[in-house]
Amino acid sequence: MGKIISSYIFPHPPLIVPEIGKGDEKGAQKTIEACEKAAEEIRKEKPSTIILTTSHAPLFEDYFFINDYKTLKGDFGRFGARQVKLSFENNFKMAESIIEFANEKGFDAGGINEGIGKRYGISGELDHGALVPLYYISRVYSDFKLVHIAMSTLTLEEHYKFGMCIGQAVRNSDENVVFVSSGDLAHKLKSDGPYGYNKHAGEFDELFVKSIEKDDIDSILDINDKLRDEAAECGLRSFVIMLGALDGYSVDPKVYSYEGPFGVGYMVARIGVGEEDTSRRIIERRIKGRSKSVDPYVSLARKALETYVREGKVLDDYDGLPEEMTKERAGTFVSIKKKGELRGCIGTIAPTRENIAKEIIHNAISSGTADPRFYPVKPYELDELDYSVDVLMEPEAIDSIDKLDVLRYGVIVRAGRRTGLLLPNLENVDTPKQQVSIALQKAGIGPNEDYTMERFEVIRHK
């Protein structure tokens, strides 16, 4: 069985390569010395493979690029040092195994067709995010194969779960692996730096460095997007992939250095990896710790979508539900959110199934897989979703917008066969005029056309 024997966080400023810095690199001497120390540790560990994640390889929205070029090579020509060239053998077996485990969890991962890559200007050459750490490592140790992996734009928790797939692939191999995670921290530490100053940049770096030192993975996964944007960090998702690969193992983190001499935060750290440790199954613990609603309407919606996405089956077992769910009929809407943002919402104005339970089951599946505004929910997303279920009361016709109340009533607008509906008590819908306008847009009805209105109440389950 293979093992990740250690992992490292490396920064990647090209300036710390002497052939590029030409003396200016001395401004980051602490970082250089720490990189050399980390490289020496890797030499002693003698890994057969280095898995490297970087924030500067080809980036896709929901696809993890895993370099499939036979030889992984690159140079520093972009930085005036084309003579500094590095080349490594790709560990195809390991890369294919990572892709296989990732695909099983619903992640899209793999290489890029060379023709398509050329068409869109995407290169399989090693980026500087990979080259800078490898420059220091290869000066003292080069007897390893390489796996070169990019980030995506998915959530931090999803990057962590992707890292767990890498951990599975390593365990399924016979390799001794060192995981190198490349990335810089905040880019706005100084007003005279290339990216300017933001008062929250230092806050971000302090939070991340302390969290690594304390092995506080939850604080890292809970870093909000606003703080990340204000700090202008670049490496967080790369680091989180690495942390995910260590899930379920004891660790011994040591920060070798941190500094921000040019307005950008550089951190070098080693995270030693011990034996299996069930207390460090971070995602498993986070899922258990999340408050799952005991409301049977919401629980049924969740179970219906999870069963369909994971098993491809429509849920048909709903014993133990309240009698009104199995005996009564009503239209229902199932709304799904992810990190506070809408992820899907589909429903029925009037009942179409034999009971409320079946109405919820089918609308939950449709909300997660058939809302045309979103791509279908993937298995790795299920643990991050929040549900609400609205059971619609009988609508009543109204002849004036004055009879609407956005908190109490939803609205249905009709013109011929075109129908639009908006639920009550929605965020950012503050007036009946807004409510009707949105419903008309959804139906494709012009504001000057003749249309009828109905109002309805709902029982909302969250």
Side-chain angles (χ1 to χ4, degrees):
M1 185 173 75
K3 187 163 189 264
I4 298 175
I5 53 180
S6 66
S7 61
Y8 293 83
I9 291 174
F10 271 82
H12 53 232
L15 187 70
I16 66 171
V17 174
E19 291 87 343
I20 298 171
K22 297 179 181 177
D24 290 340
E25 72 275 8
K26 293 176 182 177
Q29 191 61 34
K30 282 173 58 178
T31 299
I32 291 171
E33 291 172 1
C35 288
E36 291 171 341
K37 179 179 179 179
E40 181 59 24
E41 291 294 325
I42 292 171
R43 183 191 69 78
K44 293 175 183 176
E45 291 161 346
K46 294 182 168 52
S48 57
T49 292
I50 289 179
I51 296 175
L52 186 146
T53 55
T54 165
S55 54
H56 288 284
L59 177 70
F60 299 92
E61 183 176 350
D62 57 355
Y63 181 82
F64 289 96
F65 170 65
I66 302 178
N67 203 322
D68 57 350
Y69 279 50
K70 182 178 179 180
T71 302
L72 301 177
K73 61 183 180 178
D75 62 54
F76 286 106
R78 282 182 55 208
F79 305 96
R82 191 170 299 280
Q83 75 279 12
V84 184
K85 301 178 181 180
L86 299 174
S87 180
F88 307 91
E89 182 182 350
N90 195 343
N91 189 333
F92 281 113
K93 186 176 180 181
M94 178 66 74
E96 289 171 358
S97 182
I98 293 170
I99 293 167
E100 181 180 342
F101 280 105
N103 290 165
E104 284 180 8
K105 295 297 183 182
F107 290 106
D108 292 322
I112 299 173
N113 176 279
E114 194 169 344
I116 293 175
K118 286 181 179 178
R119 186 184 312 164
Y120 292 99
I122 299 170
S123 170
E125 296 231 329
L126 293 175
D127 58 284
H128 76 269
L131 288 170
V132 172
L134 290 169
Y135 171 88
Y136 280 93
I137 295 167
S138 62
R139 290 203 301 184
V140 295
Y141 181 72
S142 58
D143 190 19
F144 61 87
K145 293 182 180 180
L146 181 65
V147 179
H148 177 226
I149 302 175
M151 314 179 309
S152 75
T153 63
L154 296 175
T155 67
L156 292 178
E157 195 161 300
E158 287 159 356
H159 279 78
Y160 190 94
K161 291 175 183 176
F162 174 69
M164 291 170 66
C165 298
I166 297 175
Q168 285 182 286
V170 172
R171 289 192 293 276
N172 198 50
S173 74
D174 57 359
E175 303 270 2
N176 286 323
V177 171
V178 163
F179 201 125
V180 173
S181 177
S182 172
D184 297 332
L185 298 184
H187 283 57
K188 294 189 174 184
L189 296 173
K190 291 185 175 183
S191 56
D192 59 352
Y195 304 96
Y197 173 76
N198 184 289
K199 63 181 180 179
H200 297 293
E203 176 189 337
F204 173 88
D205 282 11
E206 182 179 6
L207 170 61
F208 183 77
V209 173
K210 285 185 175 179
S211 296
I212 289 294
E213 289 176 327
K214 296 178 180 179
D215 187 33
D216 183 1
I217 307 305
D218 287 296
S219 289
I220 293 172
L221 294 178
D222 291 335
I223 294 174
N224 64 61
D225 291 341
K226 186 170 186 287
L227 179 58
R228 292 169 58 191
D229 290 343
E230 289 179 331
E233 60 81 21
C234 85
L236 185 57
R237 286 168 291 176
S238 173
F239 306 146
V240 167
I241 295 172
M242 177 267 290
L243 294 170
L246 310 184
D247 188 81
Y249 285 85
S250 62
V251 297
D252 179 23
K254 287 185 172 62
V255 174
Y256 287 171
S257 73
Y258 169 79
E259 62 179 342
F262 309 118
V264 179
Y266 305 144
M267 174 181 176
V268 183
R270 179 183 187 272
I271 302 176
V273 184
E275 300 304 314
E276 289 192 41
D277 179 356
T278 56
S279 70
R280 284 198 80 261
R281 290 176 180 165
I282 309 298
I283 293 297
E284 184 179 299
R285 175 174 51 72
R286 284 170 69 90
I287 292 170
K288 287 180 180 177
R290 287 186 182 127
S291 57
K292 300 289 187 184
S293 173
V294 294
D295 185 295
Y297 291 75
V298 175
S299 296
L300 181 62
R302 179 185 297 279
K303 187 176 182 182
L305 183 59
E306 290 181 349
T307 300
Y308 187 81
V309 171
R310 288 185 172 132
E311 303 175 30
K313 292 193 276 187
V314 175
L315 184 68
D316 59 5
D317 174 18
Y318 45 88
D319 292 339
L321 293 177
E323 191 171 272
E324 74 264 16
M325 294 181 70
T326 59
K327 300 293 186 184
E328 297 177 12
R329 302 178 73 228
T332 67
F333 269 74
V334 177
S335 302
I336 303 171
K337 287 189 173 183
K338 177 177 171 182
K339 292 194 174 296
E341 299 294 328
L342 189 66
R343 187 63 183 81
C345 180
I346 283 182
T348 44
I349 297 174
T352 62
R353 308 282 172 177
E354 65 185 72
N355 56 36
I356 289 173
K358 286 195 173 181
E359 205 80 37
I360 291 170
I361 289 168
H362 287 272
N363 288 341
I365 293 169
S366 295
S367 293
T369 64
D371 189 325
R373 295 169 294 179
F374 307 97
Y375 58 83
V377 166
K378 299 287 186 72
Y380 58 79
E381 295 182 87
L382 291 169
D383 301 326
E384 297 183 75
L385 302 181
D386 295 308
Y387 298 75
S388 65
V389 177
D390 289 306
V391 180
L392 277 62
M393 304 294 100
E394 191 73 26
E396 60 175 328
I398 57 173
D399 56 10
S400 169
I401 197 170
D402 295 332
K403 294 181 179 179
L404 289 174
D405 178 334
V406 295
L407 296 180
R408 180 179 178 184
Y409 296 112
V411 67
I412 302 169
V413 294
R414 302 181 194 269
R417 294 184 178 181
R418 292 170 292 166
T419 302
L421 176 148
L422 201 68
L423 296 169
N425 197 14
L426 297 178
E427 290 179 24
N428 302 318
V429 180
D430 302 317
T431 66
K433 185 176 180 181
Q434 278 182 288
Q435 190 181 39
V436 171
S437 176
I438 295 170
L440 289 171
Q441 289 175 31
K442 292 176 72 173
I445 300 171
N448 297 320
E449 291 186 60
D450 289 330
Y451 59 87
T452 62
M453 291 186 294
E454 298 162 75
R455 71 182 185 183
F456 61 92
E457 294 183 84
V458 303
I459 299 174
R460 178 161 293 169
H461 299 263
K462 298 177 76 172

